[in-house]
Amino acid sequence: MTHDFIIKARKIVTVSSLGTIDNGGLLILNGKIKEILSAELVDQQYDLEIIDMMDYIITPGLIDCHTHLLEFAPSSLYPITQETHFLAAHAIILEALSNGITAIGEQLCGHPQCDFNIEHYRKLTKTLPIDCSFATTSITIGFDQPVHFSAITSSTAITKEQLLDPLLINQLAIESDYPGENLFLNATPANFTAETVPRAGEIVYTQEELNNIVNLYHKNNKKIGIHVAGKEGIDMALEAGIDVLHHAHGITKEQIKKVSLLNKVIVATPLGGTHLIPNSPTDIAQLVEANIITAIATDAYLPPYPNVDWLPYQDTQLRGPESLLTIAHPSMKLLHDNGYNENDILALLTLNPAKVLGKEQHFGSLEPGKDANFLVTSGLPGIEITDASHIYAVYLKGKLIINRLLPSSN
């Protein structure tokens, strides 16, 4: 049942051409934003419930466009079996929602202990109050003898030769919703210790093999994203025509210029995720300054990369959705200190990841016609606040799904 209402706040950061609106409101009808109300209009008479949040700020819901929450996180966090795998997934999604994340981009790589396919995960997410896009991927883990899996072959390990099979690549391309980590150009450390994955970072494909895979995706009218780090890998990715670079740790200034010239997209992961030092605040600021569409994501669940000064963590505990604002804050604060507009900065966690998912026409900014996915907060997420306790309400398609402040009316 839809709930039509007006919600007003002291500030609405739309992350759109409308910019920031002071003392305005949102008119919500049928789960969509019908109108953005200015200060002059917000107190006019409407035959609707009015929710007064004039002490607070409204922003778009956050989006984490690179996660491993549904496939790998359950067994990493809980002593589950295949029978209880999805029970854990429910708890993990609740954690994401509690931290203001209203949409995720989930990587399906094939799990050695759980024989699920993409249809199982699609069925799961239909029951959960979150928007989920899936990237069907193949993965290479950098053990002494590298191990390969894919979303199509599920719990069955495969060979390097099978990774190159056009039939498998076509299936992966067809099933994929968006250009996530569709393949791993560098073998990944995943969330293992360095001693366990000594071949993490090795280049998995030749240039010719990579070119052929990209061509197959494009022939299927699908964009392709890859896990990549280091100058050699990034050069190969750009040569092959990759659409989205996930991580891009170790990118050089010359490569940044080339990424900008080629209109490629980068998903930055300051928490870690590759064999190299992750994206620093300075790195991310350089991407933004080069007008590259840049999204910040968690790649959760991961242990934080050790001994980097922009991460506050002093342990190897796996970090998840609760880390998004914390890991994004140093970059967002640097951009704010450098004079960037709050709407452009907040795009790193809202509109830009929506563009990565290909869903920017549906959410990621507050504009008439888009889904009413928004937060009520005490400050600007990632710029002024990093603690979820300051996210007082989370709305998805006009429904109040996380409530730390409002009376329970819907």
Side-chain angles (χ1 to χ4, degrees), residues 6-314:
I6 291 171
I7 185 167
K8 56 184 185 178
R10 68 177 173 87
K11 179 190 282 191
I12 300 175
V13 185
T14 68
V15 192
S16 76
S17 60
L18 299 171
T20 296
I21 296 170
D22 293 321
N23 302 315
L26 301 178
L27 172 58
I28 309 300
L29 298 179
N30 298 316
K32 300 280 188 180
I33 300 170
K34 176 66 175 177
E35 190 175 350
I36 312 288
L37 302 173
S38 65
E40 292 75 23
L41 294 175
V42 73
D43 287 324
Q44 289 190 8
Q45 293 297 313
Y46 293 91
D47 188 22
L48 289 172
E49 176 188 3
I50 296 179
I51 301 173
D52 189 341
M53 292 277 93
M54 293 303 287
D55 291 334
Y56 303 108
I57 294 172
I58 291 176
T59 75
L62 306 180
I63 302 169
D64 192 349
C65 66
H66 184 138
T67 71
H68 298 267
L69 301 184
L70 301 177
E71 185 176 53
F72 274 91
S75 59
S76 298
L77 300 175
Y78 300 101
I80 52 112
T81 67
Q82 181 157 318
E83 308 308 316
T84 49
H85 184 102
F86 286 158
L87 183 61
H90 278 76
I92 291 165
I93 292 301
L94 179 60
E95 178 71 13
L97 292 167
S98 297
N99 283 273
I101 296 170
T102 55
I104 62 171
E106 174 75 0
Q107 322 306 301
L108 295 181
C109 307
H111 193 300
Q113 297 172 337
C114 293
D115 197 26
F116 298 124
N117 60 39
I118 191 170
E119 293 308 318
H120 291 107
Y121 290 103
R122 290 196 198 282
K123 183 177 180 181
L124 167 69
T125 54
K126 285 180 181 178
T127 68
L128 298 175
I130 196 166
D131 188 281
C132 185
S133 302
F134 292 103
T136 41
T137 85
S138 59
I139 185 172
T140 299
I141 305 173
F143 297 125
D144 282 318
Q145 294 297 320
V147 175
H148 316 284
F149 289 91
S150 84
I152 300 301
T153 49
S154 193
S155 61
T156 303
I158 59 176
T159 65
K160 166 68 185 299
E161 289 69 27
Q162 287 173 290
L163 286 179
L164 299 173
D165 183 349
L167 291 176
L168 176 65
I169 296 166
N170 274 315
Q171 283 182 280
L172 289 167
I174 290 166
E175 292 284 3
S176 194
D177 294 334
Y178 82 105
E181 229 174 11
N182 296 118
L183 64 82
F184 285 64
L185 181 53
N186 304 93
T188 179
N191 57 9
F192 297 101
T193 62
E195 297 76 21
T196 309
V197 281
R199 297 179 67 175
E202 284 190 11
I203 300 290
V204 178
Y205 301 89
T206 67
Q207 186 70 62
E208 182 180 3
E209 289 168 345
L210 185 61
N211 293 350
N212 290 338
I213 293 170
V214 173
N215 288 337
L216 284 172
Y217 269 77
H218 289 169
K219 284 181 180 178
N220 280 288
N221 295 314
K222 292 293 184 78
K223 292 182 178 180
I224 180 172
I226 63 166
H227 168 114
V228 64
K231 183 179 185 304
E232 180 184 359
I234 293 170
D235 278 341
M236 290 178 65
L238 296 177
E239 174 69 23
I242 292 291
D243 300 293
V244 178
L245 282 66
H246 289 255
H247 309 297
H249 299 162
I251 192 169
T252 68
K253 290 183 178 180
E254 286 303 311
Q255 288 174 325
I256 289 174
K257 292 178 183 177
K258 190 169 184 180
V259 169
S260 179
L261 183 66
L262 294 172
N263 294 316
K264 303 302 181 183
V265 176
I266 291 180
V267 176
T269 54
L271 188 63
T274 75
H275 63 295
L276 295 182
I277 296 173
N279 315 95
S280 71
T282 301
D283 294 336
I284 292 172
Q286 289 176 345
L287 300 178
V288 174
E289 289 163 4
N291 295 314
I292 295 168
I293 295 174
T294 305
I296 295 177
T298 61
D299 195 15
Y301 272 79
L302 276 182
Y305 196 93
N307 304 319
V308 291
D309 58 12
W310 61 88
L311 294 178
Y313 309 119
Q314 303 302 316

